Structure formats: structure tokens, C-alpha cells
């Protein structure tokens, strides 16, 4: 509603002003999702004109029509600190499409995000599950206001913050892009609240690893990524290159034994590490970190029937 009169001062310190209903705006393109849907117009007539002719429909960008036939007016009377409202007439249009998601709609969108934590606004609108490749319902079915990428990204990021899931657009979002572009490089990915681990490596690096001649070295750093996350890197000396080369990496949501256990187990499996005395594994050099050591031992017990292995400790600092 727009203000048409007031505020006017009446007797006994009473102030009154009047607002008139602005009707609704709707898209005129029959192929648009917002065709014939009644949208709330801006308050000012000049802003309504700009919305209809310059900005256009939020979905297709086409022309919007302003239907201003509603005669409803509302009188606001202020007496001191009290206000009374008197409505004159009845609206001749339906309820506007909500500008905000209801709690039920937020829950539905949250479920969609749990099923596909790295989903992009484009994929959410098109109805693609980036994790499985399946076709799912578009988020527009939840609420038409999610027809634009900007609004969808805004709502997804709000829910990610509430669920403690990293945002897209940050370095984690970039990992999502890389994972979809180079799927053969990634061995494991779990991106859920309180459990974050992505393991990756080059699929052709195995041919350069001589575990029977050189020990592998594993280190963890926090400087390369955002606060709260760590990069775990394993390197080995490659004679052909005459230098140490990265052969295995992971992005960790913390320095926990369970993360390192999964990391080293994936390392053993991917590189087909042998502990049988024939071309066997020379050793792994680790930090003075009990989480790393315990994780390595847990992975070793899962991977082989041997009960002990020599672990080299590396002094860091």
C-alpha cells in the first residue's frame, strides 16, 4: 500500500494518514513460471513503473503489467502511543506470492541440501543432483521465488550456515566444481555437519611410487585453507623428477583420529601397499601427533593381519 494522505493533525492530538492498495503486478509472458501470478508491487508508483518496464520479471526478464484496480484504503489514527487501523473496502485480488520461505519450505530445502551438499543454484533450479547425477524436482516447486539464481543461492547459504555446511563460493565450493570436473581424482568425500573429509590424488601417480626404496612423508598444514580446516599431504621421493612429489592429499574438517584412519586406509588401498616382505612398504614418517599415529595404526590393523609395523617419527618445529 502507498501513502496518499497525511499525516494530518486532528483535534485532541490525533494524527491520521491514509494508505491505498497498489493492486498487483504480474508477468505477461505465457511461458514464464510467474505468468498470471500476483506479485506484491513496490510502494512508490515510480518504483512500480521502473519494476515493470526496466527491471522486468525476476524469472524471464519480460514485461510486467501493473493492475491497479483495487479500491481498498486504510486509515491509520495515532492517539499518543496507540494506533488504530480502519480498512475501507475489500481487496479484489488474491494473496501475493510470499517474498520469504515458510518454515515448512525451509525444511524441504534443507532436506534437498542434505542429499546434495555441494549443489549449485543452477543445478537446484534445473533439478539436477550433482552427487548422483539423478534428475530431481526443481527448487521452484518449493516456492516460485527460488526461480532466480541469486535468490536460490541466498536461501541455500542461509541454510548452510544454520547446518554448519560450508558455503559455495568459498574454497569448499571450488572443490565441488573440481570434483565434478575431475571425478577420477577423488576417492572419498563426506560433506555433512561435524564430519568433513575429502580425499584425492592423481590417478596416474602410482607408477612413480617406490615404497620399497623410499619412505612416504605425511604432514598437515592449516595455512593453505580457511580457518577450521586442514590439508593433509603425503609425499615421496621420485628419482625421475629428483625431488619429493605429492602423491596423496585430503581436506580435513579437524585433526581427528577417525579422519586420519580413513585417510591412511584409503592410501593403502589405492596404492596397493604390501606388507608381506616382497617389495614391501618401507615406512611412513609422521608428525608428533597422536591423532595421526593412532589413525595410522587403526588403518594398518584394518588393512593387514600384521599386528605391528615400524613407524618413523619426524621431528617438526
Amino acid at each position: 500500500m502507498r501513502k496518499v494522505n497525511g499525516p494530518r493533525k486532528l483535534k485532541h492530538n490525533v494524527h491520521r494518514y491514509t494508505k491505498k492498495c497498489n493492486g498487483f503486478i504480474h508477468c505477461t509472458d505465457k511461458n514464464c513460471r510467474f505468468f498470471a501470478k500476483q506479485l506484491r508491487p513496490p510502494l512508490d508508483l515510480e518504483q512500480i513503473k521502473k519494476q515493470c518496464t526496466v527491471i522486468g520479471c525476476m524469472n524471464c526478464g519480460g514485461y510486467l503489467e501493473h493492475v491497479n484496480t483495487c479500491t481498498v484504503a486504510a486509515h491509520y489514527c495515532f492517539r499518543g502511543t496507540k494506533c488504530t487501523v480502519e480498512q475501507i473496502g475489500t481487496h479484489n485480488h488474491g494473496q501475493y506470492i510470499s517474498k520469504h520461505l515458510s518454515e515448512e519450505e525451509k525444511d524441504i530445502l534443507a532436506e534437498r541440501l542434505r542429499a546434495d551438499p555441494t549443489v549449485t543454484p543452477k543445478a537446484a533450479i534445473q533439478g539436477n543432483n550433482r552427487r548422483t547425477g539423478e534428475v530431481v524436482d526443481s527448487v521452484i516447486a518449493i516456492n516460485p521465488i527460488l526461480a532466480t539464481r541469486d535468490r536460490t543461492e541466498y536461501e541455500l547459504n542461509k541454510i548452510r550456515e544454520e547446518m554448519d555446511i560450508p558455503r559455495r563460493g568459498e574454497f569448499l565450493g571450488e572443490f565441488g566444481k573440481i570434483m565434478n570436473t575431475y571425478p577420477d581424482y577423488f576417492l572419498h568425500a563426506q560433506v555433512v555437519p561435524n564430519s568433513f573429509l575429502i580425499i584425492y590424488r592423481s590417478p596416474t601417480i602410482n607408477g612413480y611410487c617406490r615404497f620399497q626404496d623410499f619412505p612416504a612423508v605425511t604432514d598437515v598444514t592449516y595455512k593453505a585453507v580457511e580457518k577450521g580446516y586442514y590439508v593433509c599431504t603425503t609425499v615421496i621421493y621420485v628419482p625421475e623428477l629428483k625431488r619429493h612429489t605429492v602423491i596423496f592429499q585430503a581436506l580435513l574438517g579437524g585433526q581427528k583420529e577417525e579422519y586420519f584412519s580413513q585417510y591412511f586406509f584409503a592410501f593403502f588401498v589405492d596404492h596397493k601397499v604390501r606388507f608381506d616382505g616382497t617389495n614391501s612398504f618401507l615406512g611412513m614418517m609422521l608428525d608428533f601427533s597422536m591423532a595421526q599415529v593412532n589413525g595410522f595404526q587403526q588403518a594398518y590393523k584394518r588393512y593387514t593381519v600384521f599386528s605391528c609395523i615400524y613407524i618413523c617419527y619426524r621431528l617438526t618445529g
Side-chain angles (χ1 to χ4, degrees), residues 40 65 126 141 164 179 183 200 213 216 245 260 273:
R40 186 186 300 274
E65 181 183 8
Q126 292 178 342
D164 197 25
M179 289 173 65
Y200 50 97
D213 298 325
T245 300
F260 290 113
V273 175

Side-chain angles (χ1 to χ4, degrees), residues 40 54 90 130 161 194 247 281-282 285 311:
R40 186 186 300 274
V54 179
T90 304
R130 292 162 57 88
E161 290 179 357
N194 302 319
I247 60 173
F281 188 66
L282 183 62
M285 300 177 69
I311 303 176

Side-chain angles (χ1 to χ4, degrees), residues 198-234:
I198 300 177
I199 302 174
Y200 50 97
R201 53 69 179 120
S202 169
T204 60
I205 197 65
N206 290 20
Y208 297 92
C209 300
R210 300 179 183 177
F211 295 115
Q212 71 277 12
D213 298 325
F214 305 100
V217 181
T218 296
D219 193 16
V220 176
T221 181
Y222 63 89
K223 296 181 180 180
V225 290
E226 293 186 358
K227 183 178 181 181
Y229 297 90
Y230 301 84
V231 175
C232 184
T233 302
T234 299

Side-chain angles (χ1 to χ4, degrees), residues 104-159:
E104 181 180 358
E105 290 169 340
K106 290 180 181 178
D107 291 341
I108 297 174
L109 188 60
E111 287 298 323
R112 182 74 59 83
L113 197 56
R114 291 189 184 96
D116 187 8
T118 62
V119 65
T120 63
K122 180 180 179 181
I125 294 173
Q126 292 178 342
N128 297 327
N129 187 311
R130 292 162 57 88
R131 172 179 286 181
T132 64
E134 298 176 344
V135 177
V136 296
D137 292 335
S138 169
V139 292
I140 299 174
I142 301 175
N143 192 310
I145 65 172
L146 298 176
T148 63
R149 294 186 188 182
D150 288 343
R151 184 56 185 268
T152 299
E153 183 174 18
Y154 170 76
E155 296 294 345
L156 288 174
N157 284 340
K158 282 179 58 180
I159 295 176

